[in-house]
PDB file of all heavy atoms in Angstrom:
ATOM      1  N   LEU B  16       9.470  40.069  78.983  1.00  0.00           N
ATOM      2  CA  LEU B  16      10.635  39.753  79.816  1.00  0.00           C
ATOM      3  C   LEU B  16      10.281  39.299  81.227  1.00  0.00           C
ATOM      4  O   LEU B  16      11.153  39.176  82.079  1.00  0.00           O
ATOM      5  CB  LEU B  16      11.565  40.970  79.870  1.00  0.00           C
ATOM      6  CG  LEU B  16      12.128  41.404  78.506  1.00  0.00           C
ATOM      7  CD1 LEU B  16      12.956  42.671  78.636  1.00  0.00           C
ATOM      8  CD2 LEU B  16      12.958  40.287  77.876  1.00  0.00           C
ATOM      9  N   ILE B  17       8.995  39.021  81.485  1.00  0.00           N
ATOM     10  CA  ILE B  17       8.619  38.430  82.773  1.00  0.00           C
ATOM     11  C   ILE B  17       9.185  37.017  82.842  1.00  0.00           C
ATOM     12  O   ILE B  17       9.061  36.247  81.894  1.00  0.00           O
ATOM     13  CB  ILE B  17       7.081  38.387  82.933  1.00  0.00           C
ATOM     14  CG1 ILE B  17       6.485  39.804  82.775  1.00  0.00           C
ATOM     15  CG2 ILE B  17       6.680  37.767  84.254  1.00  0.00           C
ATOM     16  CD1 ILE B  17       6.951  40.812  83.780  1.00  0.00           C
ATOM     17  N   ASP B  18       9.800  36.663  83.957  1.00  0.00           N
ATOM     18  CA  ASP B  18      10.472  35.352  83.988  1.00  0.00           C
ATOM     19  C   ASP B  18       9.476  34.215  84.185  1.00  0.00           C
ATOM     20  O   ASP B  18       8.477  34.340  84.898  1.00  0.00           O
ATOM     21  CB  ASP B  18      11.564  35.308  85.066  1.00  0.00           C
ATOM     22  CG  ASP B  18      11.018  35.191  86.465  1.00  0.00           C
ATOM     23  OD1 ASP B  18      10.285  36.108  86.897  1.00  0.00           O
ATOM     24  OD2 ASP B  18      11.313  34.195  87.135  1.00  0.00           O
ATOM     25  N   THR B  19       9.773  33.112  83.522  1.00  0.00           N
ATOM     26  CA  THR B  19       8.906  31.928  83.561  1.00  0.00           C
ATOM     27  C   THR B  19       8.913  31.268  84.932  1.00  0.00           C
ATOM     28  O   THR B  19       7.908  30.711  85.362  1.00  0.00           O
ATOM     29  CB  THR B  19       9.397  30.895  82.520  1.00  0.00           C
ATOM     30  OG1 THR B  19       9.634  31.573  81.288  1.00  0.00           O
ATOM     31  CG2 THR B  19       8.389  29.794  82.303  1.00  0.00           C
ATOM     32  N   ASN B  20      10.058  31.310  85.617  1.00  0.00           N
ATOM     33  CA  ASN B  20      10.213  30.562  86.863  1.00  0.00           C
ATOM     34  C   ASN B  20       9.290  31.070  87.962  1.00  0.00           C
ATOM     35  O   ASN B  20       8.665  30.284  88.663  1.00  0.00           O
ATOM     36  CB  ASN B  20      11.660  30.628  87.354  1.00  0.00           C
ATOM     37  CG  ASN B  20      12.649  30.133  86.324  1.00  0.00           C
ATOM     38  OD1 ASN B  20      13.439  30.906  85.808  1.00  0.00           O
ATOM     39  ND2 ASN B  20      12.606  28.856  86.013  1.00  0.00           N
ATOM     40  N   SER B  21       9.199  32.386  88.107  1.00  0.00           N
ATOM     41  CA  SER B  21       8.294  32.920  89.122  1.00  0.00           C
ATOM     42  C   SER B  21       6.899  33.118  88.555  1.00  0.00           C
ATOM     43  O   SER B  21       5.907  32.941  89.250  1.00  0.00           O
ATOM     44  CB  SER B  21       8.821  34.249  89.669  1.00  0.00           C
ATOM     45  OG  SER B  21       8.578  35.308  88.759  1.00  0.00           O
ATOM     46  N   GLY B  22       6.840  33.523  87.289  1.00  0.00           N
ATOM     47  CA  GLY B  22       5.548  33.828  86.683  1.00  0.00           C
ATOM     48  C   GLY B  22       4.860  34.992  87.367  1.00  0.00           C
ATOM     49  O   GLY B  22       3.658  35.184  87.226  1.00  0.00           O
ATOM     50  N   ASN B  23       5.644  35.787  88.087  1.00  0.00           N
ATOM     51  CA  ASN B  23       5.073  36.836  88.927  1.00  0.00           C
ATOM     52  C   ASN B  23       5.060  38.161  88.173  1.00  0.00           C
ATOM     53  O   ASN B  23       5.899  39.044  88.393  1.00  0.00           O
ATOM     54  CB  ASN B  23       5.873  36.954  90.225  1.00  0.00           C
ATOM     55  CG  ASN B  23       5.132  37.712  91.297  1.00  0.00           C
ATOM     56  OD1 ASN B  23       4.212  38.458  91.009  1.00  0.00           O
ATOM     57  ND2 ASN B  23       5.535  37.522  92.545  1.00  0.00           N
ATOM     58  N   ALA B  24       4.086  38.306  87.269  1.00  0.00           N
ATOM     59  CA  ALA B  24       4.013  39.511  86.442  1.00  0.00           C
ATOM     60  C   ALA B  24       3.798  40.767  87.287  1.00  0.00           C
ATOM     61  O   ALA B  24       4.284  41.838  86.938  1.00  0.00           O
ATOM     62  CB  ALA B  24       2.903  39.360  85.415  1.00  0.00           C
ATOM     63  N   LYS B  25       3.090  40.651  88.416  1.00  0.00           N
ATOM     64  CA  LYS B  25       2.833  41.826  89.261  1.00  0.00           C
ATOM     65  C   LYS B  25       4.134  42.382  89.842  1.00  0.00           C
ATOM     66  O   LYS B  25       4.258  43.586  90.084  1.00  0.00           O
ATOM     67  CB  LYS B  25       1.880  41.459  90.392  1.00  0.00           C
ATOM     68  CG  LYS B  25       0.460  41.159  89.927  1.00  0.00           C
ATOM     69  CD  LYS B  25      -0.438  40.791  91.100  1.00  0.00           C
ATOM     70  CE  LYS B  25      -1.852  40.467  90.633  1.00  0.00           C
ATOM     71  NZ  LYS B  25      -2.722  40.039  91.756  1.00  0.00           N
ATOM     72  N   ARG B  26       5.088  41.479  90.049  1.00  0.00           N
ATOM     73  CA  ARG B  26       6.353  41.898  90.640  1.00  0.00           C
ATOM     74  C   ARG B  26       7.240  42.610  89.604  1.00  0.00           C
ATOM     75  O   ARG B  26       8.075  43.421  89.962  1.00  0.00           O
ATOM     76  CB  ARG B  26       7.060  40.670  91.213  1.00  0.00           C
ATOM     77  CG  ARG B  26       8.144  40.963  92.204  1.00  0.00           C
ATOM     78  CD  ARG B  26       8.569  39.685  92.927  1.00  0.00           C
ATOM     79  NE  ARG B  26       9.612  39.934  93.890  1.00  0.00           N
ATOM     80  CZ  ARG B  26      10.150  39.011  94.681  1.00  0.00           C
ATOM     81  NH1 ARG B  26       9.697  37.760  94.627  1.00  0.00           N
ATOM     82  NH2 ARG B  26      11.106  39.321  95.534  1.00  0.00           N
ATOM     83  N   GLY B  27       7.067  42.242  88.347  1.00  0.00           N
ATOM     84  CA  GLY B  27       7.824  42.897  87.286  1.00  0.00           C
ATOM     85  C   GLY B  27       8.834  41.979  86.631  1.00  0.00           C
ATOM     86  O   GLY B  27       8.653  40.766  86.558  1.00  0.00           O
ATOM     87  N   ILE B  28       9.918  42.586  86.151  1.00  0.00           N
ATOM     88  CA  ILE B  28      10.972  41.879  85.420  1.00  0.00           C
ATOM     89  C   ILE B  28      12.116  41.590  86.376  1.00  0.00           C
ATOM     90  O   ILE B  28      12.690  42.512  86.971  1.00  0.00           O
ATOM     91  CB  ILE B  28      11.476  42.728  84.241  1.00  0.00           C
ATOM     92  CG1 ILE B  28      10.349  42.975  83.232  1.00  0.00           C
ATOM     93  CG2 ILE B  28      12.674  42.064  83.563  1.00  0.00           C
ATOM     94  CD1 ILE B  28      10.665  44.044  82.199  1.00  0.00           C
ATOM     95  N   CYS B  29      12.455  40.307  86.524  1.00  0.00           N
ATOM     96  CA  CYS B  29      13.590  39.928  87.363  1.00  0.00           C
ATOM     97  C   CYS B  29      14.862  40.034  86.521  1.00  0.00           C
ATOM     98  O   CYS B  29      14.967  39.424  85.456  1.00  0.00           O
ATOM     99  CB  CYS B  29      13.413  38.494  87.870  1.00  0.00           C
ATOM    100  SG  CYS B  29      14.770  37.972  88.938  1.00  0.00           S
ATOM    101  N   ALA B  30      15.832  40.821  86.992  1.00  0.00           N
ATOM    102  CA  ALA B  30      17.069  41.029  86.238  1.00  0.00           C
ATOM    103  C   ALA B  30      18.285  40.706  87.112  1.00  0.00           C
ATOM    104  O   ALA B  30      18.294  40.969  88.316  1.00  0.00           O
ATOM    105  CB  ALA B  30      17.147  42.462  85.732  1.00  0.00           C
ATOM    106  N   LEU B  31      19.289  40.116  86.483  1.00  0.00           N
ATOM    107  CA  LEU B  31      20.484  39.641  87.191  1.00  0.00           C
ATOM    108  C   LEU B  31      21.684  40.512  86.838  1.00  0.00           C
ATOM    109  O   LEU B  31      21.846  40.919  85.683  1.00  0.00           O
ATOM    110  CB  LEU B  31      20.777  38.183  86.798  1.00  0.00           C
ATOM    111  CG  LEU B  31      19.587  37.216  86.887  1.00  0.00           C
ATOM    112  CD1 LEU B  31      20.005  35.827  86.445  1.00  0.00           C
ATOM    113  CD2 LEU B  31      19.013  37.179  88.300  1.00  0.00           C
ATOM    114  N   PRO B  32      22.543  40.805  87.825  1.00  0.00           N
ATOM    115  CA  PRO B  32      23.683  41.694  87.570  1.00  0.00           C
ATOM    116  C   PRO B  32      24.828  40.976  86.848  1.00  0.00           C
ATOM    117  O   PRO B  32      25.229  39.879  87.227  1.00  0.00           O
ATOM    118  CB  PRO B  32      24.110  42.118  88.981  1.00  0.00           C
ATOM    119  CG  PRO B  32      23.683  40.977  89.863  1.00  0.00           C
ATOM    120  CD  PRO B  32      22.445  40.401  89.244  1.00  0.00           C
ATOM    121  N   PHE B  33      25.344  41.607  85.807  1.00  0.00           N
ATOM    122  CA  PHE B  33      26.551  41.173  85.106  1.00  0.00           C
ATOM    123  C   PHE B  33      27.498  42.366  85.032  1.00  0.00           C
ATOM    124  O   PHE B  33      27.054  43.519  85.057  1.00  0.00           O
ATOM    125  CB  PHE B  33      26.226  40.692  83.686  1.00  0.00           C
ATOM    126  CG  PHE B  33      25.661  39.298  83.630  1.00  0.00           C
ATOM    127  CD1 PHE B  33      24.365  39.044  84.050  1.00  0.00           C
ATOM    128  CD2 PHE B  33      26.429  38.236  83.174  1.00  0.00           C
ATOM    129  CE1 PHE B  33      23.838  37.771  84.014  1.00  0.00           C
ATOM    130  CE2 PHE B  33      25.917  36.956  83.127  1.00  0.00           C
ATOM    131  CZ  PHE B  33      24.627  36.706  83.550  1.00  0.00           C
ATOM    132  N   VAL B  34      28.790  42.084  84.935  1.00  0.00           N
ATOM    133  CA  VAL B  34      29.789  43.153  84.854  1.00  0.00           C
ATOM    134  C   VAL B  34      30.253  43.271  83.403  1.00  0.00           C
ATOM    135  O   VAL B  34      30.673  42.290  82.786  1.00  0.00           O
ATOM    136  CB  VAL B  34      30.986  42.855  85.783  1.00  0.00           C
ATOM    137  CG1 VAL B  34      32.086  43.899  85.580  1.00  0.00           C
ATOM    138  CG2 VAL B  34      30.530  42.840  87.240  1.00  0.00           C
ATOM    139  N   ARG B  35      30.163  44.479  82.874  1.00  0.00           N
ATOM    140  CA  ARG B  35      30.635  44.740  81.500  1.00  0.00           C
ATOM    141  C   ARG B  35      32.162  44.749  81.514  1.00  0.00           C
ATOM    142  O   ARG B  35      32.780  45.546  82.230  1.00  0.00           O
ATOM    143  CB  ARG B  35      30.066  46.072  81.012  1.00  0.00           C
ATOM    144  CG  ARG B  35      30.285  46.362  79.540  1.00  0.00           C
ATOM    145  CD  ARG B  35      29.383  47.510  79.085  1.00  0.00           C
ATOM    146  NE  ARG B  35      29.616  48.712  79.883  1.00  0.00           N
ATOM    147  CZ  ARG B  35      28.688  49.649  80.102  1.00  0.00           C
ATOM    148  NH1 ARG B  35      27.477  49.526  79.595  1.00  0.00           N
ATOM    149  NH2 ARG B  35      28.981  50.725  80.828  1.00  0.00           N
ATOM    150  N   TYR B  36      32.770  43.868  80.739  1.00  0.00           N
ATOM    151  CA  TYR B  36      34.212  43.641  80.822  1.00  0.00           C
ATOM    152  C   TYR B  36      35.001  44.884  80.408  1.00  0.00           C
ATOM    153  O   TYR B  36      36.068  45.156  80.968  1.00  0.00           O
ATOM    154  CB  TYR B  36      34.600  42.463  79.925  1.00  0.00           C
ATOM    155  CG  TYR B  36      36.053  42.058  80.041  1.00  0.00           C
ATOM    156  CD1 TYR B  36      36.508  41.341  81.144  1.00  0.00           C
ATOM    157  CD2 TYR B  36      36.976  42.411  79.054  1.00  0.00           C
ATOM    158  CE1 TYR B  36      37.851  40.973  81.260  1.00  0.00           C
ATOM    159  CE2 TYR B  36      38.309  42.045  79.158  1.00  0.00           C
ATOM    160  CZ  TYR B  36      38.736  41.333  80.269  1.00  0.00           C
ATOM    161  OH  TYR B  36      40.065  40.976  80.371  1.00  0.00           O
ATOM    162  N   SER B  37      34.471  45.663  79.476  1.00  0.00           N
ATOM    163  CA  SER B  37      35.245  46.785  78.932  1.00  0.00           C
ATOM    164  C   SER B  37      35.482  47.892  79.949  1.00  0.00           C
ATOM    165  O   SER B  37      36.504  48.584  79.890  1.00  0.00           O
ATOM    166  CB  SER B  37      34.544  47.366  77.700  1.00  0.00           C
ATOM    167  OG  SER B  37      33.250  47.848  78.038  1.00  0.00           O
ATOM    168  N   ASP B  38      34.545  48.080  80.907  1.00  0.00           N
ATOM    169  CA  ASP B  38      34.722  49.179  81.860  1.00  0.00           C
ATOM    170  C   ASP B  38      34.291  48.830  83.288  1.00  0.00           C
ATOM    171  O   ASP B  38      34.217  49.709  84.152  1.00  0.00           O
ATOM    172  CB  ASP B  38      33.960  50.418  81.390  1.00  0.00           C
ATOM    173  CG  ASP B  38      32.455  50.164  81.248  1.00  0.00           C
ATOM    174  OD1 ASP B  38      32.007  49.057  81.600  1.00  0.00           O
ATOM    175  OD2 ASP B  38      31.761  51.077  80.767  1.00  0.00           O
ATOM    176  N   SER B  39      33.987  47.555  83.539  1.00  0.00           N
ATOM    177  CA  SER B  39      33.618  47.051  84.868  1.00  0.00           C
ATOM    178  C   SER B  39      32.313  47.639  85.407  1.00  0.00           C
ATOM    179  O   SER B  39      32.062  47.587  86.614  1.00  0.00           O
ATOM    180  CB  SER B  39      34.749  47.301  85.891  1.00  0.00           C
ATOM    181  OG  SER B  39      35.916  46.639  85.481  1.00  0.00           O
ATOM    182  N   GLU B  40      31.477  48.200  84.536  1.00  0.00           N
ATOM    183  CA  GLU B  40      30.173  48.707  84.958  1.00  0.00           C
ATOM    184  C   GLU B  40      29.177  47.550  85.084  1.00  0.00           C
ATOM    185  O   GLU B  40      29.239  46.579  84.333  1.00  0.00           O
ATOM    186  CB  GLU B  40      29.636  49.729  83.953  1.00  0.00           C
ATOM    187  CG  GLU B  40      30.360  51.068  83.992  1.00  0.00           C
ATOM    188  CD  GLU B  40      30.138  51.807  85.304  1.00  0.00           C
ATOM    189  OE1 GLU B  40      28.980  51.867  85.763  1.00  0.00           O
ATOM    190  OE2 GLU B  40      31.134  52.294  85.881  1.00  0.00           O
ATOM    191  N   GLU B  41      28.251  47.678  86.043  1.00  0.00           N
ATOM    192  CA  GLU B  41      27.245  46.641  86.249  1.00  0.00           C
ATOM    193  C   GLU B  41      26.055  46.878  85.312  1.00  0.00           C
ATOM    194  O   GLU B  41      25.571  48.001  85.186  1.00  0.00           O
ATOM    195  CB  GLU B  41      26.773  46.650  87.700  1.00  0.00           C
ATOM    196  CG  GLU B  41      25.940  45.441  88.088  1.00  0.00           C
ATOM    197  CD  GLU B  41      25.690  45.380  89.593  1.00  0.00           C
ATOM    198  OE1 GLU B  41      24.870  46.184  90.078  1.00  0.00           O
ATOM    199  OE2 GLU B  41      26.330  44.556  90.271  1.00  0.00           O
ATOM    200  N   VAL B  42      25.622  45.802  84.667  1.00  0.00           N
ATOM    201  CA  VAL B  42      24.472  45.853  83.751  1.00  0.00           C
ATOM    202  C   VAL B  42      23.510  44.742  84.145  1.00  0.00           C
ATOM    203  O   VAL B  42      23.937  43.607  84.402  1.00  0.00           O
ATOM    204  CB  VAL B  42      24.919  45.680  82.281  1.00  0.00           C
ATOM    205  CG1 VAL B  42      23.708  45.657  81.344  1.00  0.00           C
ATOM    206  CG2 VAL B  42      25.895  46.786  81.877  1.00  0.00           C
ATOM    207  N   HIS B  43      22.222  45.046  84.188  1.00  0.00           N
ATOM    208  CA  HIS B  43      21.236  44.053  84.606  1.00  0.00           C
ATOM    209  C   HIS B  43      20.550  43.422  83.395  1.00  0.00           C
ATOM    210  O   HIS B  43      19.948  44.120  82.576  1.00  0.00           O
ATOM    211  CB  HIS B  43      20.198  44.701  85.532  1.00  0.00           C
ATOM    212  CG  HIS B  43      20.714  44.901  86.920  1.00  0.00           C
ATOM    213  ND1 HIS B  43      21.461  45.997  87.282  1.00  0.00           N
ATOM    214  CD2 HIS B  43      20.613  44.111  88.027  1.00  0.00           C
ATOM    215  CE1 HIS B  43      21.792  45.897  88.558  1.00  0.00           C
ATOM    216  NE2 HIS B  43      21.297  44.771  89.029  1.00  0.00           N
ATOM    217  N   PHE B  44      20.664  42.091  83.315  1.00  0.00           N
ATOM    218  CA  PHE B  44      20.063  41.313  82.235  1.00  0.00           C
ATOM    219  C   PHE B  44      18.815  40.610  82.750  1.00  0.00           C
ATOM    220  O   PHE B  44      18.880  39.887  83.751  1.00  0.00           O
ATOM    221  CB  PHE B  44      21.036  40.251  81.723  1.00  0.00           C
ATOM    222  CG  PHE B  44      22.072  40.767  80.775  1.00  0.00           C
ATOM    223  CD1 PHE B  44      23.150  41.503  81.236  1.00  0.00           C
ATOM    224  CD2 PHE B  44      21.973  40.510  79.409  1.00  0.00           C
ATOM    225  CE1 PHE B  44      24.118  41.987  80.355  1.00  0.00           C
ATOM    226  CE2 PHE B  44      22.935  40.983  78.524  1.00  0.00           C
ATOM    227  CZ  PHE B  44      24.005  41.718  78.997  1.00  0.00           C
ATOM    228  N   PRO B  45      17.666  40.773  82.079  1.00  0.00           N
ATOM    229  CA  PRO B  45      16.487  40.010  82.486  1.00  0.00           C
ATOM    230  C   PRO B  45      16.765  38.507  82.448  1.00  0.00           C
ATOM    231  O   PRO B  45      17.339  38.004  81.468  1.00  0.00           O
ATOM    232  CB  PRO B  45      15.438  40.397  81.438  1.00  0.00           C
ATOM    233  CG  PRO B  45      15.879  41.750  80.952  1.00  0.00           C
ATOM    234  CD  PRO B  45      17.384  41.706  80.980  1.00  0.00           C
ATOM    235  N   SER B  46      16.406  37.805  83.521  1.00  0.00           N
ATOM    236  CA  SER B  46      16.630  36.358  83.542  1.00  0.00           C
ATOM    237  C   SER B  46      15.869  35.680  82.405  1.00  0.00           C
ATOM    238  O   SER B  46      16.328  34.673  81.858  1.00  0.00           O
ATOM    239  CB  SER B  46      16.209  35.765  84.895  1.00  0.00           C
ATOM    240  OG  SER B  46      14.821  35.946  85.108  1.00  0.00           O
ATOM    241  N   ASN B  47      14.729  36.244  82.012  1.00  0.00           N
ATOM    242  CA  ASN B  47      13.967  35.705  80.898  1.00  0.00           C
ATOM    243  C   ASN B  47      14.784  35.715  79.609  1.00  0.00           C
ATOM    244  O   ASN B  47      14.798  34.748  78.847  1.00  0.00           O
ATOM    245  CB  ASN B  47      12.682  36.532  80.716  1.00  0.00           C
ATOM    246  CG  ASN B  47      11.931  36.212  79.440  1.00  0.00           C
ATOM    247  OD1 ASN B  47      12.379  36.570  78.353  1.00  0.00           O
ATOM    248  ND2 ASN B  47      10.792  35.556  79.551  1.00  0.00           N
ATOM    249  N   LEU B  48      15.484  36.815  79.361  1.00  0.00           N
ATOM    250  CA  LEU B  48      16.295  36.936  78.140  1.00  0.00           C
ATOM    251  C   LEU B  48      17.399  35.887  78.126  1.00  0.00           C
ATOM    252  O   LEU B  48      17.655  35.236  77.105  1.00  0.00           O
ATOM    253  CB  LEU B  48      16.871  38.349  78.062  1.00  0.00           C
ATOM    254  CG  LEU B  48      17.693  38.713  76.828  1.00  0.00           C
ATOM    255  CD1 LEU B  48      17.530  40.198  76.512  1.00  0.00           C
ATOM    256  CD2 LEU B  48      19.181  38.414  77.022  1.00  0.00           C
ATOM    257  N   ILE B  49      18.036  35.694  79.277  1.00  0.00           N
ATOM    258  CA  ILE B  49      19.143  34.727  79.356  1.00  0.00           C
ATOM    259  C   ILE B  49      18.636  33.320  79.091  1.00  0.00           C
ATOM    260  O   ILE B  49      19.216  32.575  78.288  1.00  0.00           O
ATOM    261  CB  ILE B  49      19.829  34.805  80.739  1.00  0.00           C
ATOM    262  CG1 ILE B  49      20.445  36.190  80.945  1.00  0.00           C
ATOM    263  CG2 ILE B  49      20.889  33.724  80.871  1.00  0.00           C
ATOM    264  CD1 ILE B  49      20.906  36.444  82.375  1.00  0.00           C
ATOM    265  N   GLU B  50      17.527  32.930  79.746  1.00  0.00           N
ATOM    266  CA  GLU B  50      17.049  31.554  79.604  1.00  0.00           C
ATOM    267  C   GLU B  50      16.491  31.297  78.209  1.00  0.00           C
ATOM    268  O   GLU B  50      16.549  30.189  77.699  1.00  0.00           O
ATOM    269  CB  GLU B  50      15.996  31.211  80.656  1.00  0.00           C
ATOM    270  CG  GLU B  50      14.620  31.762  80.394  1.00  0.00           C
ATOM    271  CD  GLU B  50      13.548  31.110  81.273  1.00  0.00           C
ATOM    272  OE1 GLU B  50      13.797  30.906  82.476  1.00  0.00           O
ATOM    273  OE2 GLU B  50      12.471  30.835  80.739  1.00  0.00           O
ATOM    274  N   ASN B  51      15.975  32.333  77.542  1.00  0.00           N
ATOM    275  CA  ASN B  51      15.403  32.159  76.211  1.00  0.00           C
ATOM    276  C   ASN B  51      16.451  32.057  75.119  1.00  0.00           C
ATOM    277  O   ASN B  51      16.244  31.352  74.129  1.00  0.00           O
ATOM    278  CB  ASN B  51      14.453  33.309  75.877  1.00  0.00           C
ATOM    279  CG  ASN B  51      13.024  33.007  76.261  1.00  0.00           C
ATOM    280  OD1 ASN B  51      12.330  32.276  75.570  1.00  0.00           O
ATOM    281  ND2 ASN B  51      12.597  33.550  77.390  1.00  0.00           N
ATOM    282  N   LEU B  52      17.567  32.758  75.264  1.00  0.00           N
ATOM    283  CA  LEU B  52      18.501  32.875  74.144  1.00  0.00           C
ATOM    284  C   LEU B  52      19.798  32.095  74.296  1.00  0.00           C
ATOM    285  O   LEU B  52      20.376  31.665  73.296  1.00  0.00           O
ATOM    286  CB  LEU B  52      18.848  34.356  73.914  1.00  0.00           C
ATOM    287  CG  LEU B  52      17.675  35.288  73.588  1.00  0.00           C
ATOM    288  CD1 LEU B  52      18.184  36.690  73.292  1.00  0.00           C
ATOM    289  CD2 LEU B  52      16.848  34.761  72.432  1.00  0.00           C
ATOM    290  N   PHE B  53      20.290  31.893  75.518  1.00  0.00           N
ATOM    291  CA  PHE B  53      21.656  31.398  75.674  1.00  0.00           C
ATOM    292  C   PHE B  53      21.773  29.930  76.050  1.00  0.00           C
ATOM    293  O   PHE B  53      22.847  29.338  75.892  1.00  0.00           O
ATOM    294  CB  PHE B  53      22.404  32.249  76.717  1.00  0.00           C
ATOM    295  CG  PHE B  53      22.685  33.649  76.256  1.00  0.00           C
ATOM    296  CD1 PHE B  53      21.806  34.678  76.554  1.00  0.00           C
ATOM    297  CD2 PHE B  53      23.804  33.943  75.511  1.00  0.00           C
ATOM    298  CE1 PHE B  53      22.048  35.979  76.132  1.00  0.00           C
ATOM    299  CE2 PHE B  53      24.073  35.233  75.080  1.00  0.00           C
ATOM    300  CZ  PHE B  53      23.182  36.261  75.389  1.00  0.00           C
ATOM    301  N   LEU B  54      20.712  29.330  76.592  1.00  0.00           N
ATOM    302  CA  LEU B  54      20.806  27.946  77.095  1.00  0.00           C
ATOM    303  C   LEU B  54      22.042  27.830  77.988  1.00  0.00           C
ATOM    304  O   LEU B  54      22.275  28.658  78.838  1.00  0.00           O
ATOM    305  CB  LEU B  54      20.815  26.945  75.950  1.00  0.00           C
ATOM    306  CG  LEU B  54      19.490  26.796  75.192  1.00  0.00           C
ATOM    307  CD1 LEU B  54      19.600  25.719  74.125  1.00  0.00           C
ATOM    308  CD2 LEU B  54      18.324  26.495  76.105  1.00  0.00           C
ATOM    309  N   SER B  55      22.864  26.778  77.765  1.00  0.00           N
ATOM    310  CA  SER B  55      24.022  26.580  78.649  1.00  0.00           C
ATOM    311  C   SER B  55      25.294  27.183  78.066  1.00  0.00           C
ATOM    312  O   SER B  55      26.379  27.005  78.616  1.00  0.00           O
ATOM    313  CB  SER B  55      24.250  25.086  78.894  1.00  0.00           C
ATOM    314  OG  SER B  55      24.578  24.425  77.666  1.00  0.00           O
ATOM    315  N   ASN B  56      25.175  27.896  76.945  1.00  0.00           N
ATOM    316  CA  ASN B  56      26.380  28.429  76.303  1.00  0.00           C
ATOM    317  C   ASN B  56      27.008  29.519  77.164  1.00  0.00           C
ATOM    318  O   ASN B  56      26.333  30.472  77.562  1.00  0.00           O
ATOM    319  CB  ASN B  56      26.029  29.000  74.928  1.00  0.00           C
ATOM    320  CG  ASN B  56      27.256  29.166  74.049  1.00  0.00           C
ATOM    321  OD1 ASN B  56      28.271  28.509  74.255  1.00  0.00           O
ATOM    322  ND2 ASN B  56      27.168  30.042  73.070  1.00  0.00           N
ATOM    323  N   GLY B  57      28.306  29.364  77.465  1.00  0.00           N
ATOM    324  CA  GLY B  57      29.017  30.397  78.200  1.00  0.00           C
ATOM    325  C   GLY B  57      28.937  30.277  79.698  1.00  0.00           C
ATOM    326  O   GLY B  57      28.955  31.288  80.400  1.00  0.00           O
ATOM    327  N   MET B  58      28.831  29.057  80.223  1.00  0.00           N
ATOM    328  CA  MET B  58      28.915  28.871  81.672  1.00  0.00           C
ATOM    329  C   MET B  58      29.955  27.792  81.954  1.00  0.00           C
ATOM    330  O   MET B  58      30.028  26.789  81.252  1.00  0.00           O
ATOM    331  CB  MET B  58      27.550  28.497  82.277  1.00  0.00           C
ATOM    332  CG  MET B  58      26.892  27.267  81.725  1.00  0.00           C
ATOM    333  SD  MET B  58      25.335  26.799  82.575  1.00  0.00           S
ATOM    334  CE  MET B  58      24.213  28.023  81.976  1.00  0.00           C
TER     335      MET B  58
END
């Protein structure tokens, strides 16, 4: 889940905040996961 854009493995996993619609809780999604699986779907 290290992101391709920074390639900064020492820094760790870059994760972006999303709000869970069912209860408005914040959940962090690795940017790597988003870019690998979703492409432009859902923006």
Side-chain angles (χ1 to χ4, degrees):
L16 299 176
I17 304 299
D18 75 298
T19 313
N20 304 113
S21 77
N23 197 340
K25 291 180 181 177
R26 198 168 180 178
I28 297 167
C29 181
L31 310 179
F33 281 73
V34 174
R35 189 165 57 208
Y36 186 76
S37 61
D38 60 5
S39 300
E40 287 294 315
E41 192 171 74
V42 177
H43 283 84
F44 280 75
S46 63
N47 170 288
L48 183 149
I49 297 169
E50 77 166 42
N51 268 282
L52 300 184
F53 291 93
L54 290 183
S55 63
N56 198 23
M58 57 175 74

